[in-house]
Amino acid sequence: MEITASQIESIVRSVINSMGADAAKGSCAPCGPIPKTTKVAMLTGPKKIEVQELPIPTLGDDDILVKVEGAGICGTDVHEWKMDPFGLIPVILGHEGTGRVVALGKNVKVDTAGKPLKVGDKIVTSVTNCGECYTCRMHPETTNLCDNQGVFGLIGDKRGTAEGNRVNGWFADYMVIKGGYGITYFEVNDLNLKQRMLLELACVCVHALERAQSTGLINFGSKVLVQGCGPVGLVMITVLRAAGVNHIIAVDGNENRLRVAQRMGAKTTVCFKRPEENTLDKRVDKVKSVANGVGVDFAFQCTGAPVAAADIYSYIRRGGGMCEMGFFVNNGEYQVNPHLAMCQKEINIVGSWDYSAQDYPKTMAFLKQCEEMNIPIEELITHSFPLDKMNEAMETNVAQAGIKICYINEN
């Protein structure tokens, strides 16, 4: 039987249309069959994470099913693990995660930045906002200040059913991104796994740099101090170096972390456990000796320790500035003399809180810039743990035995 050209064209169009229909239904052929359940690391009590198996909810038209590849462990995760200050238990933590799209609801065509999204793509989630509070309505450029801001892995999702979507944290084999207003996510195919696991943390620091730059005090010639060389402080150093700051001063009490700070781009280190730097006056003298004899132009306070936060003003020159980004949880108060610390010096002070979704594309560019400049940011990931070792991962973080601790999905 002969087939005409028009019949061939009709057959081809039929095949193409059926393929498109399958994709619209959330076809996951490139990634295998859609699972019915997922293993999760459920926080069931203070310092108690249990591996459980939960059903994966039916995907809606705006939802995404992701096979988790890995996730960073944030200080907020550890804080919640230790004492449940946010009242989230039971909860699946993990908000610094990434994975591969397994299935898409039929309405999901692009990510938050407008890039096409398909099954098989790598993806990360960002923050959510409500669109209803005063900030969302009157200041949409600062959605990080939304009164009802949320993030996958730290918020309960009660939409849809009485139980809601429980599998919305990255410490799992699979997680579900429930669509809806204010939900944000990004395709990140051009970043490797380590870069993707560092993306959320780096976004915090990119946002902090923008807050600092609003003072006009940061440029190529600025002397900039970073106090606290945990993961936040060390990534802040890499952001400053990538931005062109040539003299970064790192302050901490851990010599190992200060050596890492130098690897990331710090030129001068100050350690409060060294005999020659074990008092605030000695440390200030050291800082002034490399900062034009007067103190730094700008400082980033990255510790969660009130006593350290009180010290930061002493390092700053008159007319300088400071960004407070260390207190993402309430760790207490400190005393400071506002006349000496702020008014007499006329210091420019900014706070920094999280980030907005629009900070993500800039942060992706920052991670590529680290590659260009050979800044070894990926070396900050020092330990990884599987799902059944998440309590040990938290303990490792608390003990400061490494720098950036991560969960890696071995399944």
Side-chain angles (χ1 to χ4, degrees):
M1 181 181 68
E2 292 187 1
I3 300 178
T4 66
S6 62
Q7 287 175 316
I8 293 174
E9 182 180 354
S10 177
I11 292 170
V12 170
R13 284 185 176 178
S14 177
V15 171
I16 291 174
N17 288 337
S18 67
M19 291 173 65
D22 287 342
K25 292 176 184 176
S27 171
C28 57
C31 299
I34 298 177
K36 296 186 181 299
T37 63
T38 177
K39 290 183 178 179
V40 303
M42 182 71 73
L43 181 65
T44 60
K47 297 186 178 182
K48 187 177 181 181
I49 293 176
E50 300 176 354
V51 176
Q52 298 181 0
E53 189 161 353
L54 298 180
I56 294 175
T58 301
L59 291 191
D61 292 343
D62 301 306
D63 303 344
I64 305 172
L65 177 63
V66 183
K67 174 65 181 291
V68 178
E69 293 181 324
I73 296 176
C74 177
T76 309
D77 294 322
V78 176
H79 201 62
E80 173 63 17
W81 173 78
K82 286 195 295 186
M83 59 189 76
D84 190 28
F86 310 118
L88 301 177
I89 290 176
V91 64
I92 304 164
L93 296 172
H95 57 275
E96 297 181 353
T98 182
R100 183 184 64 208
V101 174
V102 172
L104 293 170
K106 69 179 184 180
N107 294 337
V108 183
K109 308 295 184 184
V110 298
D111 73 358
T112 301
K115 294 173 65 175
L117 191 65
K118 63 185 184 303
V119 169
D121 282 340
K122 309 297 185 181
I123 196 172
V124 296
T125 48
S126 183
V127 289
T128 70
N129 62 281
C130 71
E132 298 175 355
C133 69
Y134 176 84
T135 299
C136 285
R137 287 185 289 105
M138 301 303 296
H139 299 281
E141 75 282 2
T142 58
T143 53
N144 62 305
L145 301 179
C146 168
D147 290 341
N148 304 300
Q149 186 195 49
V151 60
F152 287 91
L154 275 177
I155 55 173
D157 189 343
K158 302 299 183 184
R159 294 171 294 171
T161 67
E163 188 70 10
N165 172 32
R166 299 182 69 192
V167 292
N168 70 338
W170 285 99
F171 294 163
D173 283 342
Y174 292 86
M175 67 95 67
V176 174
I177 301 172
K178 278 285 185 183
Y181 184 89
I183 304 300
T184 57
Y185 45 81
F186 295 89
E187 178 258 287
V188 285
N189 290 340
D190 59 344
L191 299 179
N192 65 41
L193 178 56
K194 286 187 176 181
Q195 290 172 321
R196 286 183 274 136
M197 290 192 297
L198 289 168
L199 178 56
E200 195 270 353
L201 170 57
C203 203
V204 169
C205 298
V206 167
H207 181 78
L209 176 62
E210 290 207 341
R211 293 285 294 139
Q213 287 173 325
S214 69
T215 67
L217 291 166
I218 295 183
N219 54 57
F220 293 113
S222 301
K223 304 294 191 300
V224 179
L225 182 141
V226 175
Q227 179 170 260
C229 291
V232 172
L234 290 169
V235 173
M236 193 69 239
I237 289 170
T238 68
V239 169
L240 289 165
R241 190 69 194 94
V245 176
N246 291 315
H247 198 138
I248 303 166
I249 302 162
V251 180
D252 200 88
N254 186 311
E255 292 284 11
N256 289 331
R257 292 194 169 188
L258 287 170
R259 281 189 284 272
V260 175
Q262 289 180 306
R263 288 274 295 149
M264 297 302 118
K267 186 170 289 185
T268 301
T269 64
V270 179
C271 181
F272 57 77
K273 291 185 179 179
R274 296 170 187 162
E276 66 274 23
E277 295 161 9
N278 61 5
T279 69
L280 179 59
D281 287 342
K282 291 178 182 178
R283 294 193 292 277
V284 170
D285 287 343
K286 171 71 174 289
V287 170
K288 286 183 176 180
S289 72
V290 296
N292 305 314
V294 293
V296 297
D297 301 293
F298 203 90
F300 289 85
Q301 205 299 110
C302 300
T303 78
V307 64
D311 289 351
I312 195 75
Y313 304 92
S314 300
Y315 300 119
I316 304 168
R317 68 167 174 84
R318 297 188 76 179
M322 185 268 278
C323 177
E324 174 56 68
M325 57 181 299
F327 290 86
F328 286 104
V329 295
N330 184 357
N331 281 338
E333 302 174 354
Y334 63 85
Q335 287 187 326
V336 63
N337 185 316
H339 170 70
L340 296 175
M342 304 169 197
C343 294
Q344 188 188 63
K345 288 185 173 184
E346 201 171 86
I347 284 180
N348 299 268
I349 302 175
V350 296
S352 185
W353 178 253
D354 283 359
Y355 47 81
S356 296
Q358 58 263 36
D359 291 314
Y360 260 61
K362 290 175 282 190
T363 306
M364 296 173 207
F366 153 72
L367 289 167
K368 302 305 287 187
Q369 182 69 7
C370 285
E371 284 185 2
E372 293 288 332
M373 297 178 65
N374 294 316
I375 300 172
I377 187 171
E378 295 172 38
E379 291 181 9
L380 296 180
I381 296 178
T382 57
H383 294 70
S384 62
F385 293 85
L387 201 62
D388 60 354
K389 300 290 185 182
M390 291 305 292
N391 286 300
E392 184 179 340
M394 296 292 181
E395 294 283 7
T396 302
N397 199 311
V398 170
Q400 296 187 1
I403 297 175
K404 189 62 181 174
I405 316 300
C406 291
Y407 154 60
I408 297 293
N409 190 356
E410 297 181 340
N411 296 325

